[in-house]
Amino acid sequence: MRTNESEEMYLETILLLRGRKASVRSVDIVEELGYAKSSVSRAVNLLIDKGYIAMDAGGDLALTESGQKKAAGIYERHRVIAKLLLMLGADEALAESNACRMEHVISDEMFALIKAHIEKNS
């Protein structure tokens, strides 16, 4: 069962921020996504409750093993879909913005077909 689009966006954001920063806090997510602090706080607490992220006493956020797996899968979808859109002739900005939306709604079966196509034709 897939997480909802909002949860996926938060997990992917934390994954990407952890790649750029040694420490990720809720305020970093606020700045990255441009969301209200209260919205991010609610989402972070929900992701903690679901076991996808952990927060230490200093407020540093880390993906749990299941959160890392989920976030990596989401980011893989993003990269593969963006690559397909680039292959179709989209410029990078258009491919990235559309991949961000498409990665959350595409079925597992359709993603597998796209991934196989990309691997065959790259």
Side-chain angles (χ1 to χ4, degrees):
M1 177 180 208
R2 296 198 44 211
T3 54
N4 70 42
E5 183 177 337
S6 176
E7 289 175 2
E8 289 181 351
M9 187 170 24
Y10 281 101
L11 291 171
E12 183 180 21
T13 299
I14 293 167
L15 176 76
L16 295 174
L17 286 170
R18 290 294 278 185
R20 297 191 319 244
K21 302 174 65 130
S23 175
V24 176
R25 299 167 53 101
S26 293
V27 69
D28 299 314
I29 299 170
V30 168
E31 291 171 3
E32 185 76 12
L33 297 177
Y35 290 172
K37 290 179 186 179
S38 59
S39 296
V40 171
S41 179
R42 278 193 301 274
V44 164
N45 287 325
L46 178 64
L47 291 171
I48 290 169
D49 290 346
K50 289 187 172 190
Y52 289 126
I53 63 174
M55 183 188 311
D56 69 15
D60 186 35
L61 301 173
L63 294 165
T64 62
E65 185 176 332
S66 64
Q68 178 70 33
K69 182 178 176 183
K70 182 69 72 178
I74 296 160
Y75 188 56
E76 177 189 29
R77 285 174 176 262
H78 178 98
R79 289 188 337 266
V80 169
I81 293 168
K83 187 170 185 176
L84 174 68
L85 297 176
L86 288 168
M87 289 172 70
L88 293 173
D91 66 39
E92 190 170 342
L94 183 62
E96 286 294 322
S97 67
N98 278 272
C100 282
R101 293 191 301 266
M102 294 169 68
E103 71 194 39
H104 302 292
V105 296
I106 192 168
S107 70
D108 292 339
E109 296 80 11
M110 182 56 70
F111 176 71
L113 289 171
I114 290 170
K115 184 177 177 182
H117 178 78
I118 295 291
E119 289 170 352
K120 180 180 176 185
N121 293 292
S122 289

